[in-house]
Amino acid sequence: MWDSETESVGGRDYGNGVLSSSKHSVKTDGFELKGSSWFVATDIPSDLLVQVGDVNFHLHKYPLLSRSGKINRVMYELRDPDLSKMALDDLPGGPEAFELAAKFCYGIAVDLTAANISGLRCAAEYLEMTEDLEEGNLIFKTEAFLSYVVLSSWRDSIVVLKSCEKLSPWAENLQIVRRCSESIAWKACANPKGIRWAYTGKPLKVSSPSWNEMKDSSPSKNQQVPPDWWFEDVSILRIDHFVRVITAIKVKGMRFELIGAAIMHYASKWLPGLINDGAAAADEGSNSSNSNTSNSGSSWKGGLHLIVAGNKDEPPTVQAKDQRMIIESLISIIPPQKDSVSCSFLLRLLRMANMLKVAPALVTELEKRVGMQFEQATLADLLIPSYNKSETMYDVDLVQRLLEHFLVQEQTDISSPSQQSFPGKHYDDIQRGTGPNAKMRVARLVDSYLTEVSRDRSLSLTKFQVLAEALPDSARICDDGLYRAIDSYLKAHPTLSEHERKRLCRVMDCQKLSIDACMHAAQNERLPLRVVVQVLFSEQVKISNALATSSLKEAGESQYQPMVSNRKTLLEGTPQSFQEGWAAAKKDINTVKFELESVKAKYLELQNDMDNLQRQFDKMSKQKQTSAWSSGWKKLSKLTKTTNLENQHSIGTEHQAAADQQNRKTPRRWRNSIS
């Protein structure tokens, strides 16, 4: 579809990419290279030495003057007819491009390819080889090849845009970059059924393939083309050209998911530390960087390893600057839609942005993007080290800002009229993670993060408390994760005062703790005594409510016993899906009953233990009441016992009768009964 090397364009014959001129005054068989100098293979001695960089060209004046306005003007301005030496150090394309331009001036056939056309076009513009000097001059020839051959081919457009990296600003001023970017964007957005696989997903060669190679490598008509077929080819471009291509693709209307996937693919290639950590990632990045450098011939290098390990040729600061430019460019072209890129990618990009000190405005924008998808984050991505010489090991303030952005976005989505005008959008919100479950996922994530960072002894109590209280109470159904974080913080900070421990535990709701958490908290010596009492009291209330609910259910089952037959009849007439749902619900009810019975048994066991402890306490208290003074008093009373025996006997009889009568009237009460 886009492989037009074999097509005839508008009746014009470009000699299959071979330029030649029949008008030349110096007959030659070609150029000869001797050392670093080029000589014309002719019997006429050269009269002009042109220096381009480190290469010397021994040429003749007339062929160059007849086609180059630049050389004409230099000769005229110097007014030296005997001029024999000229330096063109700023010629775009270097010695390679000037060699082709000089061969064209001598009428030697020049092969035009996608690899040399951009440099030759810029050199022709620099040398002012226009139609005013001769019809069919080099500017016309190269411009026609660009317009009719290169821009109609996917592969050639990629190769030419890659070669423009060494031709700034000439390639920009001649609109080569713009035209190639738009051509690539148009082909990427077109129907992929006509794509030739010879030019996609494979390393690009310098020379154009022959017709036989294209024919052999063409896929079958039934082969399905994936939507990301263009990612690999576009990812070889430098970041500024990649931005131009992505911007053009956005204008063409491509889906934002594909654009985001292309950006992530590009980042994985040029920023290997963004995806893979460790030495393996550094080696991989080094290989890719070296290959990219060798292909382009420029000093552009990519890879996070260059910042860590450095390079012998260039200082690490230059590489850090290149990495920073890539990250800033990628942030600026990420589509504004919520799920265009993953939250993990955004957090890793944010980690590198903080490390490389990216512009604060772009970092803030990236933080807002993470806040939009914060419920999709993982704990490993949130553990971002603090690169600003902060007192804490991890950047807790960053996570606090991300959480604030998430809450603002949630409030905006709730109050937005577009959210309220579509009742059926609730299911989509649940699928995307923006429904009511999003806050619960974020709460679990924050609790896990607090548990991890609480081990840092430099983490202040205020930062811990602010982050724990940032979410509303409705976000947490169970506070077990928060209790785990508090316990971990108490372990790492054993020198906290009683007031600070109470302040720390104030962020937790004891009524939201599970049975296991309550049992652990009741035996936790690090918790304040008041918190332990609150935990025990809340657990007792839960058990009492559970017992009351269980007794009500048992009474209700006896009342609705006659309805069982009718219920069975009703279930037989319902669909199978309803019956399965009822069976599952009944199974859950039986499970809850079993748990209630076990809780009830534990409660009775605890009550028996409490009675035994109360009896032991009563025995110990009675033993303490018998003192030495009372025993001495009893000895003295024995002396008068014989004299007043009859009198005491009658009084004792009366007291005994009164005591028996009192015991018959009032039954015994248990001191520690809680019924």
Side-chain angles (χ1 to χ4, degrees):
M1 176 179 177
W2 299 319
D3 308 332
S4 57
E5 288 80 1
T6 59
E7 298 176 354
S8 60
V9 183
R12 296 180 175 87
D13 185 11
Y14 297 100
N16 291 328
V18 178
L19 294 184
S20 62
S21 177
S22 59
K23 299 178 181 180
H24 52 81
S25 59
V26 180
K27 294 183 179 180
T28 178
D29 295 333
F31 281 26
E32 296 178 354
L33 179 62
K34 297 179 181 179
S36 60
S37 301
W38 284 95
F39 295 89
V40 183
T42 180
D43 297 335
I44 303 175
S46 61
D47 56 357
L48 180 63
L49 174 63
V50 181
Q51 292 181 345
V52 182
D54 298 334
V55 182
N56 297 326
F57 292 87
H58 299 271
L59 307 174
H60 302 83
K61 292 181 181 179
Y62 181 74
L64 300 180
L65 292 173
S66 63
R67 293 175 175 83
S68 174
K70 170 81 172 179
I71 297 179
N72 269 288
R73 192 175 69 257
V74 172
M75 290 284 190
Y76 177 78
E77 291 175 354
L78 293 177
R79 299 183 183 276
D80 184 7
D82 298 331
L83 180 67
S84 61
K85 188 176 181 180
M86 183 181 300
L88 302 175
D89 294 331
D90 55 346
L91 185 141
E96 296 82 4
F98 184 77
E99 176 196 348
L100 298 177
K103 287 181 179 180
F104 176 79
C105 293
Y106 278 89
I108 301 174
V110 177
D111 292 334
L112 294 182
T113 63
N116 61 24
I117 186 61
S118 58
L120 190 57
R121 172 68 182 89
C122 295
E125 189 71 22
Y126 176 86
L127 295 172
E128 301 175 10
M129 304 176 70
T130 62
E131 296 295 298
D132 298 336
L133 298 176
E134 182 179 352
E135 185 179 356
N137 210 346
L138 188 57
I139 290 180
F140 173 79
K141 297 283 189 180
T142 53
E143 188 65 31
F145 187 81
L146 274 172
S147 301
Y148 294 102
V149 179
V150 171
L151 297 181
S152 60
S153 170
W154 166 264
R155 173 193 175 278
D156 289 347
S157 299
I158 294 286
V159 174
V160 170
L161 190 56
K162 181 69 178 174
S163 64
C164 290
E165 296 175 358
K166 302 172 292 182
L167 300 173
S168 299
W170 288 90
E172 286 283 353
N173 296 335
L174 295 175
Q175 304 297 320
I176 299 177
V177 174
R178 180 189 61 81
R179 287 183 290 173
C180 289
S181 300
E182 292 182 353
S183 174
I184 294 170
W186 182 83
K187 294 174 177 62
C189 297
N191 190 351
K193 291 183 178 179
I195 295 172
R196 299 238 176 186
W197 278 96
Y199 296 160
T200 57
K202 296 182 179 181
L204 300 175
K205 300 179 182 179
V206 176
S207 59
S208 300
S210 61
W211 169 251
N212 292 331
E213 292 177 357
M214 291 191 300
K215 186 176 180 180
D216 295 339
S217 60
S218 299
S220 60
K221 295 182 179 180
N222 297 329
Q223 184 175 354
Q224 186 177 2
V225 180
D228 59 349
W229 62 268
W230 52 277
F231 288 4
E232 185 63 29
D233 291 343
V234 173
S235 64
I236 70 170
L237 300 175
R238 201 172 65 184
I239 183 61
D240 53 344
H241 294 161
F242 177 76
V243 170
R244 296 288 293 271
V245 171
I246 294 297
T247 304
I249 287 177
K250 284 183 181 180
V251 175
K252 301 296 181 184
M254 178 171 283
R255 290 180 300 161
F256 65 89
E257 297 93 343
L258 281 178
I259 296 176
I263 293 174
M264 289 190 291
H265 184 84
Y266 184 89
S268 66
K269 187 167 186 175
W270 288 88
L271 303 171
L274 189 71
I275 306 300
N276 301 320
D277 297 327
D283 296 336
E284 180 183 355
S286 176
N287 296 332
S288 63
S289 171
N290 295 334
S291 63
N292 292 336
T293 306
S294 60
N295 292 336
S296 62
S298 64
S299 61
W300 185 270
K301 299 179 179 66
L304 182 61
H305 69 288
L306 295 172
I307 301 172
V308 178
N311 196 310
K312 296 181 180 179
D313 300 332
E314 297 180 359
T317 55
V318 176
Q319 303 302 332
K321 182 179 178 181
D322 293 340
Q323 298 293 314
R324 183 164 56 248
M325 183 174 62
I326 292 177
I327 294 175
E328 290 177 350
S329 302
L330 292 180
I331 294 174
S332 63
I333 62 175
I334 294 177
Q337 288 80 3
K338 178 178 179 180
D339 295 325
S340 56
V341 293
S342 65
C343 186
S344 178
F345 172 77
L346 292 174
L347 284 169
R348 291 174 181 266
L349 202 63
L350 183 59
R351 179 198 298 252
M352 291 191 67
N354 289 333
M355 181 178 64
L356 297 174
K357 294 179 171 43
V358 172
L362 291 175
V363 173
T364 302
E365 181 64 25
L366 189 58
E367 290 177 0
K368 291 180 180 179
R369 294 299 309 272
V370 175
M372 293 172 58
Q373 306 172 223
F374 195 54
E375 70 278 359
Q376 303 172 6
T378 61
L379 177 60
D381 296 329
L382 282 183
L383 295 176
I384 300 176
S386 181
Y387 297 104
N388 298 327
K389 296 182 180 180
S390 177
E391 56 182 9
T392 57
M393 182 186 304
Y394 297 105
D395 199 342
V396 182
D397 296 332
L398 173 61
V399 178
Q400 175 68 28
R401 292 195 300 271
L402 297 179
L403 187 57
E404 291 175 357
H405 290 312
F406 167 76
L407 295 175
V408 170
Q409 183 65 32
E410 284 286 315
Q411 189 64 29
T412 304
D413 293 341
I414 294 174
S415 60
S416 177
S418 59
Q419 297 286 338
Q420 301 174 0
S421 58
F422 297 100
K425 193 176 176 58
H426 179 68
Y427 177 76
D428 298 334
D429 291 341
I430 294 176
Q431 292 295 106
R432 290 176 175 266
T434 58
N437 294 329
K439 288 184 179 180
M440 299 180 185
R441 283 195 292 271
V442 171
R444 290 194 294 268
L445 178 64
V446 171
D447 293 346
S448 301
Y449 180 80
L450 287 172
T451 304
E452 189 68 28
V453 301
S454 62
R455 301 167 186 170
D456 183 9
R457 294 180 179 270
S458 301
L459 180 64
S460 63
L461 177 60
T462 302
K463 287 188 177 182
F464 184 95
Q465 187 177 6
V466 169
L467 186 57
E469 294 178 344
L471 287 169
D473 295 338
S474 58
R476 292 185 178 92
I477 299 178
C478 180
D479 278 8
D480 286 5
L482 199 56
Y483 168 71
R484 191 179 300 109
I486 292 173
D487 186 50
S488 178
Y489 189 88
L490 290 173
K491 286 181 181 178
H493 302 79
T495 59
L496 291 178
S497 63
E498 184 72 13
H499 174 71
E500 290 174 336
R501 288 191 295 161
K502 289 181 180 179
R503 177 183 162 194
L504 175 65
C505 297
R506 202 174 294 134
V507 303
M508 174 184 62
D509 188 358
C510 297
Q511 297 181 359
K512 292 184 179 181
L513 295 178
S514 64
I515 297 178
D516 295 336
C518 287
M519 293 177 63
H520 186 277
Q523 303 174 3
N524 194 345
E525 298 178 354
R526 290 179 292 272
L527 294 177
L529 182 59
R530 183 174 181 179
V531 176
V532 176
V533 172
Q534 289 178 353
V535 169
L536 294 176
F537 178 75
S538 62
E539 187 63 21
Q540 184 178 3
V541 171
K542 288 180 186 178
I543 294 175
S544 300
N545 294 335
L547 292 175
T549 305
S550 177
S551 59
L552 289 175
K553 286 184 177 181
E554 292 177 357
E557 288 179 358
S558 61
Q559 295 178 1
Y560 293 104
Q561 189 67 25
M563 298 294 294
V564 174
S565 59
N566 296 333
R567 187 181 302 168
K568 289 182 179 180
T569 306
L570 181 61
L571 287 175
E572 291 176 357
T574 56
Q576 183 67 24
S577 59
F578 289 173
Q579 295 183 16
E580 293 176 356
W582 173 256
K586 192 173 181 180
K587 184 178 179 181
D588 294 340
I589 292 173
N590 293 332
T591 304
V592 173
K593 285 183 178 180
F594 177 77
E595 292 178 355
L596 287 175
E597 291 295 333
S598 61
V599 171
K600 192 175 181 180
K602 289 182 179 179
Y603 173 73
L604 294 176
E605 184 179 354
L606 290 174
Q607 191 173 11
N608 291 331
D609 294 340
M610 188 181 296
D611 293 341
N612 294 331
L613 291 174
Q614 186 64 35
R615 294 192 192 96
Q616 294 178 4
F617 178 77
D618 293 341
K619 290 180 180 180
M620 294 175 62
S621 61
K622 288 180 179 180
Q623 291 177 0
K624 291 181 180 180
Q625 289 177 0
T626 58
S627 60
W629 180 81
S630 60
S631 60
W633 180 258
K634 288 181 179 179
K635 290 180 181 180
L636 292 175
S637 63
K638 288 181 180 180
L639 298 175
T640 58
K641 186 175 180 181
T642 54
T643 57
N644 300 327
L645 181 60
E646 295 179 358
N647 200 16
Q648 290 290 336
H649 179 70
S650 61
I651 295 174
T653 305
E654 293 177 359
H655 280 289
Q656 183 67 30
D660 294 340
Q661 186 178 1
Q662 185 67 21
N663 290 334
R664 285 194 300 270
K665 289 182 180 180
T666 57
R668 181 181 179 183
R669 295 179 59 185
W670 291 97
R671 292 179 59 188
N672 55 348
S673 175
I674 60 173
S675 59

